[in-house]
Amino acid sequence: MTVGGRVVEATGMTPAIARSMGMRFVHQDAGVFGDISIAENLALGRGFSTGAGGRVRWKELRRDAEKLLSRVGLRCDPAAILSSLSASSQTLVAVARALADIEESATILILDEPTNGLDPAGRDEMLALIDRIAHEMAIDVVLSSHLLADIERIADGVVILAGGRVVAQGLLRDLMAATASITLRTQESPDLLAHALRRRGHTVEESGPRELRVDYRSDDVYDAIRDTAVETETAWSISNAAPSPS
């Protein structure tokens, strides 16, 4: 594994080495604790500032927490118990903690399924933050996700794994352009969605029960799928994208 010119064998990697190489992680289990305050959660791993007699400097702790929370756009009382926040906000706290010393040494933020289990509003909030971290804070982000719609919205480059092997990699735009069709699965009858897509000029075939195949001509097809799914109130997911004929 090579990060910033430093090479370490994967088998010899440890949390301490990863941290020294500038990697910060937010795992699928975000590692936050609901029965302590937001400020205390943010201090975990970094330590608590103490004064005379080893007493915690609570005011300083909360001021630092406010700065970290503002970095991820979260407005809340640092003294509040973490469990009082929504699931998406708790994940934002975990991201804020990972970015705590970003100005000092972190170069890569690694996120494992950060939108898993979030409602649509929470997912939008998280994806917007990831995009801001990558493009405004200029921090490299490695995102692991099984939600293709999320990848399509924010990824620049993609590595696709199957059975532990790399089956495709490259710029997202290039990989998308190499596909001839997109297969969608719906939770109910796809008829309304198919009709709405055809009205927009897209070629659509029913490829199975509650399954549609939509011709891919440009990235605009993904916007059309999202828009028509909202219009027809159809729940959908991308099953797979077939390679274009050679």
mmCIF file of all heavy atoms in Angstrom, residues 106-126:
data_model
loop_
_atom_site.group_PDB
_atom_site.id
_atom_site.type_symbol
_atom_site.label_atom_id
_atom_site.label_comp_id
_atom_site.label_asym_id
_atom_site.label_seq_id
_atom_site.Cartn_x
_atom_site.Cartn_y
_atom_site.Cartn_z
ATOM 1 N N ALA A 106 -3.908 14.579 8.291
ATOM 2 C CA ALA A 106 -4.737 13.649 7.527
ATOM 3 C C ALA A 106 -4.735 13.986 6.041
ATOM 4 O O ALA A 106 -4.814 15.140 5.652
ATOM 5 C CB ALA A 106 -6.163 13.645 8.065
ATOM 6 N N THR A 107 -4.604 12.976 5.221
ATOM 7 C CA THR A 107 -4.615 13.174 3.779
ATOM 8 C C THR A 107 -5.716 12.375 3.094
ATOM 9 O O THR A 107 -6.125 12.705 1.999
ATOM 10 C CB THR A 107 -3.269 12.754 3.166
ATOM 11 O OG1 THR A 107 -3.001 11.390 3.501
ATOM 12 C CG2 THR A 107 -2.139 13.623 3.686
ATOM 13 N N ILE A 108 -6.199 11.317 3.734
ATOM 14 C CA ILE A 108 -7.224 10.465 3.140
ATOM 15 C C ILE A 108 -8.306 10.170 4.174
ATOM 16 O O ILE A 108 -8.001 9.744 5.293
ATOM 17 C CB ILE A 108 -6.636 9.134 2.634
ATOM 18 C CG1 ILE A 108 -5.571 9.384 1.570
ATOM 19 C CG2 ILE A 108 -7.737 8.241 2.073
ATOM 20 C CD1 ILE A 108 -4.903 8.122 1.077
ATOM 21 N N LEU A 109 -9.556 10.377 3.797
ATOM 22 C CA LEU A 109 -10.688 10.017 4.643
ATOM 23 C C LEU A 109 -11.353 8.800 4.019
ATOM 24 O O LEU A 109 -11.762 8.833 2.857
ATOM 25 C CB LEU A 109 -11.680 11.179 4.730
ATOM 26 C CG LEU A 109 -12.948 10.910 5.543
ATOM 27 C CD1 LEU A 109 -12.607 10.655 7.005
ATOM 28 C CD2 LEU A 109 -13.913 12.089 5.419
ATOM 29 N N ILE A 110 -11.455 7.722 4.779
ATOM 30 C CA ILE A 110 -12.017 6.466 4.284
ATOM 31 C C ILE A 110 -13.360 6.232 4.969
ATOM 32 O O ILE A 110 -13.435 6.136 6.200
ATOM 33 C CB ILE A 110 -11.051 5.298 4.541
ATOM 34 C CG1 ILE A 110 -9.710 5.580 3.839
ATOM 35 C CG2 ILE A 110 -11.649 3.978 4.048
ATOM 36 C CD1 ILE A 110 -8.616 4.604 4.187
ATOM 37 N N LEU A 111 -14.410 6.154 4.180
ATOM 38 C CA LEU A 111 -15.772 6.032 4.695
ATOM 39 C C LEU A 111 -16.365 4.701 4.253
ATOM 40 O O LEU A 111 -16.389 4.391 3.057
ATOM 41 C CB LEU A 111 -16.644 7.171 4.167
ATOM 42 C CG LEU A 111 -16.146 8.595 4.434
ATOM 43 C CD1 LEU A 111 -17.027 9.615 3.716
ATOM 44 C CD2 LEU A 111 -16.122 8.885 5.932
ATOM 45 N N ASP A 112 -16.849 3.928 5.206
ATOM 46 C CA ASP A 112 -17.435 2.622 4.919
ATOM 47 C C ASP A 112 -18.955 2.710 5.051
ATOM 48 O O ASP A 112 -19.479 2.858 6.154
ATOM 49 C CB ASP A 112 -16.869 1.583 5.892
ATOM 50 C CG ASP A 112 -17.402 0.181 5.621
ATOM 51 O OD1 ASP A 112 -17.922 -0.048 4.506
ATOM 52 O OD2 ASP A 112 -17.300 -0.678 6.507
ATOM 53 N N GLU A 113 -19.647 2.658 3.923
ATOM 54 C CA GLU A 113 -21.116 2.694 3.882
ATOM 55 C C GLU A 113 -21.673 3.853 4.725
ATOM 56 O O GLU A 113 -22.540 3.638 5.591
ATOM 57 C CB GLU A 113 -21.691 1.366 4.389
ATOM 58 C CG GLU A 113 -21.227 0.146 3.609
ATOM 59 C CD GLU A 113 -21.946 -0.032 2.280
ATOM 60 O OE1 GLU A 113 -22.825 0.803 1.962
ATOM 61 O OE2 GLU A 113 -21.616 -0.983 1.549
ATOM 62 N N PRO A 114 -21.255 5.091 4.481
ATOM 63 C CA PRO A 114 -21.687 6.198 5.345
ATOM 64 C C PRO A 114 -23.159 6.553 5.235
ATOM 65 O O PRO A 114 -23.701 7.202 6.132
ATOM 66 C CB PRO A 114 -20.809 7.371 4.874
ATOM 67 C CG PRO A 114 -20.520 7.047 3.438
ATOM 68 C CD PRO A 114 -20.353 5.556 3.410
ATOM 69 N N THR A 115 -23.833 6.148 4.148
ATOM 70 C CA THR A 115 -25.251 6.477 3.997
ATOM 71 C C THR A 115 -26.152 5.301 4.334
ATOM 72 O O THR A 115 -27.377 5.411 4.220
ATOM 73 C CB THR A 115 -25.557 6.942 2.555
ATOM 74 O OG1 THR A 115 -25.270 5.871 1.640
ATOM 75 C CG2 THR A 115 -24.717 8.156 2.191
ATOM 76 N N ASN A 116 -25.568 4.191 4.736
ATOM 77 C CA ASN A 116 -26.367 2.997 5.020
ATOM 78 C C ASN A 116 -27.339 3.258 6.174
ATOM 79 O O ASN A 116 -26.947 3.706 7.247
ATOM 80 C CB ASN A 116 -25.461 1.823 5.370
ATOM 81 C CG ASN A 116 -26.188 0.498 5.331
ATOM 82 O OD1 ASN A 116 -27.023 0.269 4.463
ATOM 83 N ND2 ASN A 116 -25.878 -0.388 6.256
ATOM 84 N N GLY A 117 -28.609 2.989 5.946
ATOM 85 C CA GLY A 117 -29.619 3.147 6.990
ATOM 86 C C GLY A 117 -30.146 4.561 7.158
ATOM 87 O O GLY A 117 -31.003 4.790 8.015
ATOM 88 N N LEU A 118 -29.657 5.512 6.362
ATOM 89 C CA LEU A 118 -30.130 6.891 6.495
ATOM 90 C C LEU A 118 -31.386 7.110 5.660
ATOM 91 O O LEU A 118 -31.578 6.479 4.613
ATOM 92 C CB LEU A 118 -29.044 7.872 6.051
ATOM 93 C CG LEU A 118 -27.697 7.808 6.784
ATOM 94 C CD1 LEU A 118 -26.790 8.931 6.304
ATOM 95 C CD2 LEU A 118 -27.887 7.875 8.296
ATOM 96 N N ASP A 119 -32.231 8.046 6.107
ATOM 97 C CA ASP A 119 -33.397 8.402 5.318
ATOM 98 C C ASP A 119 -32.940 9.268 4.141
ATOM 99 O O ASP A 119 -31.780 9.696 4.080
ATOM 100 C CB ASP A 119 -34.446 9.116 6.180
ATOM 101 C CG ASP A 119 -33.921 10.390 6.813
ATOM 102 O OD1 ASP A 119 -32.984 11.005 6.264
ATOM 103 O OD2 ASP A 119 -34.440 10.790 7.873
ATOM 104 N N PRO A 120 -33.811 9.530 3.147
ATOM 105 C CA PRO A 120 -33.392 10.297 1.967
ATOM 106 C C PRO A 120 -32.761 11.653 2.292
ATOM 107 O O PRO A 120 -31.757 12.036 1.677
ATOM 108 C CB PRO A 120 -34.698 10.458 1.181
ATOM 109 C CG PRO A 120 -35.498 9.253 1.550
ATOM 110 C CD PRO A 120 -35.186 9.019 3.009
ATOM 111 N N ALA A 121 -33.323 12.362 3.257
ATOM 112 C CA ALA A 121 -32.761 13.670 3.620
ATOM 113 C C ALA A 121 -31.375 13.513 4.222
ATOM 114 O O ALA A 121 -30.450 14.279 3.909
ATOM 115 C CB ALA A 121 -33.684 14.393 4.590
ATOM 116 N N GLY A 122 -31.216 12.515 5.091
ATOM 117 C CA GLY A 122 -29.917 12.262 5.697
ATOM 118 C C GLY A 122 -28.888 11.825 4.674
ATOM 119 O O GLY A 122 -27.719 12.218 4.747
ATOM 120 N N ARG A 123 -29.337 11.026 3.690
ATOM 121 C CA ARG A 123 -28.417 10.592 2.635
ATOM 122 C C ARG A 123 -27.948 11.789 1.810
ATOM 123 O O ARG A 123 -26.754 11.919 1.507
ATOM 124 C CB ARG A 123 -29.104 9.561 1.739
ATOM 125 C CG ARG A 123 -28.264 9.183 0.514
ATOM 126 C CD ARG A 123 -28.861 8.024 -0.253
ATOM 127 N NE ARG A 123 -28.607 6.772 0.428
ATOM 128 C CZ ARG A 123 -29.539 5.939 0.848
ATOM 129 N NH1 ARG A 123 -30.803 6.226 0.657
ATOM 130 N NH2 ARG A 123 -29.219 4.816 1.464
ATOM 131 N N ASP A 124 -28.879 12.665 1.453
ATOM 132 C CA ASP A 124 -28.508 13.861 0.681
ATOM 133 C C ASP A 124 -27.519 14.719 1.453
ATOM 134 O O ASP A 124 -26.554 15.246 0.882
ATOM 135 C CB ASP A 124 -29.753 14.679 0.346
ATOM 136 C CG ASP A 124 -30.624 14.022 -0.720
ATOM 137 O OD1 ASP A 124 -30.123 13.122 -1.419
ATOM 138 O OD2 ASP A 124 -31.796 14.414 -0.848
ATOM 139 N N GLU A 125 -27.751 14.864 2.748
ATOM 140 C CA GLU A 125 -26.869 15.665 3.596
ATOM 141 C C GLU A 125 -25.470 15.065 3.642
ATOM 142 O O GLU A 125 -24.462 15.789 3.533
ATOM 143 C CB GLU A 125 -27.467 15.761 5.001
ATOM 144 C CG GLU A 125 -26.727 16.697 5.936
ATOM 145 C CD GLU A 125 -27.398 16.795 7.298
ATOM 146 O OE1 GLU A 125 -28.267 15.947 7.613
ATOM 147 O OE2 GLU A 125 -27.064 17.725 8.050
ATOM 148 N N MET A 126 -25.390 13.764 3.798
ATOM 149 C CA MET A 126 -24.094 13.101 3.880
ATOM 150 C C MET A 126 -23.348 13.191 2.556
ATOM 151 O O MET A 126 -22.143 13.479 2.521
ATOM 152 C CB MET A 126 -24.282 11.640 4.283
ATOM 153 C CG MET A 126 -22.978 10.847 4.375
ATOM 154 S SD MET A 126 -21.817 11.528 5.579
ATOM 155 C CE MET A 126 -22.746 11.238 7.099
#
